[in-house]
Amino acid sequence: MATFETALRENSISELMLVPKSDIHTHGGKGGRIKYFAEWANTSIKASEQPFEDLNDMQNWFDSNIKVHDNGIGGYLKRVETAFAQAKEDNIVVLALSFSISVIDNLGGIDKFISTLNYYNKTFAPETKYYPELSLSREDDVNGVFDRLNEILSRNWFKSIDICGNELAQPIKNFQKIYRKAQSYGVKLKAHIGEFGTADDVMEAVELLELSEVHHGIAAVKSKEVMRWLSKHKIQLNICPTSNIMLKRATSYYDHPIKELFENGIPVTVNTDDLLIFDSSVSEEYMKLYVNKVLSIEELEVIRQTGLNTYT
Ligand SMILES: [Zn+2]
């Protein structure tokens, strides 16, 4: 029986893959292993070895290396399959893969979308408990989104809501109305903040939108006051170390802010973000944090448990 401790101590990725884990910051259509998708596309695709300049540069890489192999909706669904197959492969028992409203529409509307996703969950990762996340973009027309919320959330299928994309596109305050409505449906409130923005941006967004979790949030490390506040209010940061390095948000695993955030009492988790770009699984993320002496086995175990208990 593989244990987290022995797998890390023996530097065994294959043993670590057997240990139950969570991935609660991961984007639908960009999850799963490059190798799995490349085999279907009958080609070979190599992950970028160079960091990306920004989110646009990353998207360009994705469009020309992954999306170029899509043949319409079939290619997109293969990417959804890739994400669930990876959850099974890496024993991800708690998964919060996120999807945008445009994907819901492209897959035939909310009811068709839900039955399609349930099929992929059941077929490719039946042991994975899937907690669907609705992903908005910081660039969205907020009134247009607000008008769609009842239709989308009234199925009680989505368990959380998020905002991703360019943090500087519009003030976070513009999303307050949407988040109050989402709150009335009982979904978890999260948002991408403090990846490109500041520590103050993290605190402002948590207060205005009443977030319980922040995707990334690593800029909080720049302010003792914000870290104290996040710790006091038990605001969880869902962190993706390789993503942060590949987007030049952190200089190395060794110097990654996750250590200081954890040591300041903030609940953190370890996640993949866009596995189909960054090519680093949850098991590999844990191993990198361990071999680079960022966190001890005991500390990583606390983080693993935080992830597993996020939805309980
Ligand atoms: Zn993300």
Side-chain angles (χ1 to χ4, degrees):
M1 171 71 180
T3 70
F4 192 60
E5 183 185 339
T6 55
L8 286 172
R9 210 179 289 290
E10 293 166 10
N11 287 359
S12 170
I13 283 287
S14 57
E15 292 279 300
L16 204 45
M17 285 167 66
L18 300 173
V19 177
K21 296 170 297 295
S22 66
D23 194 358
I24 53 178
H25 174 174
T26 173
H27 300 267
K30 287 180 177 154
R33 283 242 96 120
I34 290 177
K35 191 166 171 283
Y36 188 99
F37 182 79
E39 272 169 20
W40 166 78
N42 201 19
T43 185
S44 76
I45 303 169
K46 242 171 91 45
S48 174
E49 282 169 14
Q50 300 304 319
F52 300 109
E53 290 308 315
D54 50 30
L55 290 175
N56 282 337
D57 189 27
M58 181 189 95
Q59 186 64 41
N60 288 339
W61 182 92
F62 184 73
D63 290 347
S64 49
N65 289 274
I66 302 288
K67 263 181 111 171
V68 70
H69 300 293
D70 282 7
N71 54 353
I73 209 73
Y76 184 83
L77 289 173
K78 184 52 70 172
R79 287 192 261 134
V80 174
E81 176 189 319
T82 302
F84 280 104
Q86 170 61 18
K88 182 180 168 72
E89 176 89 6
D90 201 23
N91 203 6
I92 301 301
V93 296
V94 174
L95 176 72
L97 196 62
S98 70
F99 289 94
S100 67
I101 294 177
S102 63
V103 171
I104 295 172
D105 293 341
N106 289 341
L107 293 183
I110 186 66
D111 293 321
K112 182 99 190 298
F113 170 79
I114 290 172
S115 62
T116 302
L117 266 291
N118 286 345
Y119 164 80
Y120 279 94
N121 183 186
K122 204 169 120 225
T123 308
F124 295 97
E127 266 119 70
T128 296
K129 186 90 178 90
Y130 177 39
Y131 297 90
E133 182 158 300
L134 178 64
S135 159
L136 312 180
S137 165
R138 189 72 173 254
E139 283 140 73
D140 276 346
D141 158 26
V142 289
N143 291 322
V145 170
F146 186 79
D147 290 343
R148 300 289 307 276
L149 275 188
N150 278 333
E151 164 210 347
I152 292 168
L153 297 180
S154 61
R155 271 65 176 179
N156 293 321
W157 186 76
F158 280 105
K159 301 291 181 263
S160 58
I161 188 167
D162 170 47
I163 304 164
C164 61
N166 176 8
E167 268 186 69
L168 311 174
Q170 62 179 312
I172 199 70
K173 197 176 187 318
N174 295 1
F175 288 84
Q176 260 183 317
K177 188 167 71 161
I178 292 172
Y179 270 59
R180 290 294 72 74
K181 172 72 86 180
Q183 196 171 37
S184 74
Y185 281 102
V187 301
K188 271 183 178 292
L189 308 178
K190 318 179 182 179
H192 279 64
I193 313 282
E195 179 187 17
F196 292 90
T198 66
D200 288 342
D201 290 342
V202 175
M203 191 160 146
E204 182 198 22
V206 172
E207 286 198 298
L208 285 175
L209 303 186
E210 297 183 35
L211 308 177
S212 62
E213 295 173 38
V214 172
H215 285 336
H216 297 300
I218 54 171
V221 79
K222 304 267 192 223
S223 164
K224 279 273 173 207
E225 187 199 336
V226 172
M227 284 198 286
R228 249 195 314 272
W229 188 86
L230 292 171
S231 166
K232 184 176 162 213
H233 294 282
K234 296 272 166 273
I235 307 300
Q236 180 171 311
L237 306 185
N238 299 319
I239 295 177
C240 311
T242 296
S243 164
N244 296 149
I245 291 167
M246 287 299 287
L247 281 161
K248 299 184 178 177
R249 303 293 91 203
T251 49
S252 67
Y253 294 102
Y254 180 75
D255 288 326
H256 195 283
I258 191 170
K259 180 182 179 67
E260 203 174 336
L261 294 163
F262 178 85
E263 286 173 352
N264 277 273
I266 300 167
V268 301
T269 61
V270 169
N271 310 276
T272 58
D273 208 1
D274 303 296
L275 187 43
L276 209 38
I277 298 173
F278 304 124
D279 206 35
S280 185
S281 67
V282 172
S283 287
E284 287 163 343
E285 293 293 286
Y286 278 117
M287 191 59 82
K288 286 168 184 171
L289 293 173
Y290 176 66
V291 300
N292 286 285
K293 301 187 174 14
V294 183
L295 293 156
S296 69
I297 289 175
E298 292 73 21
E299 290 167 333
L300 290 168
E301 172 63 9
V302 170
I303 290 171
R304 184 176 76 94
Q305 293 295 339
T306 300
L308 291 175
N309 292 324
T310 294
Y311 287 85
T312 57

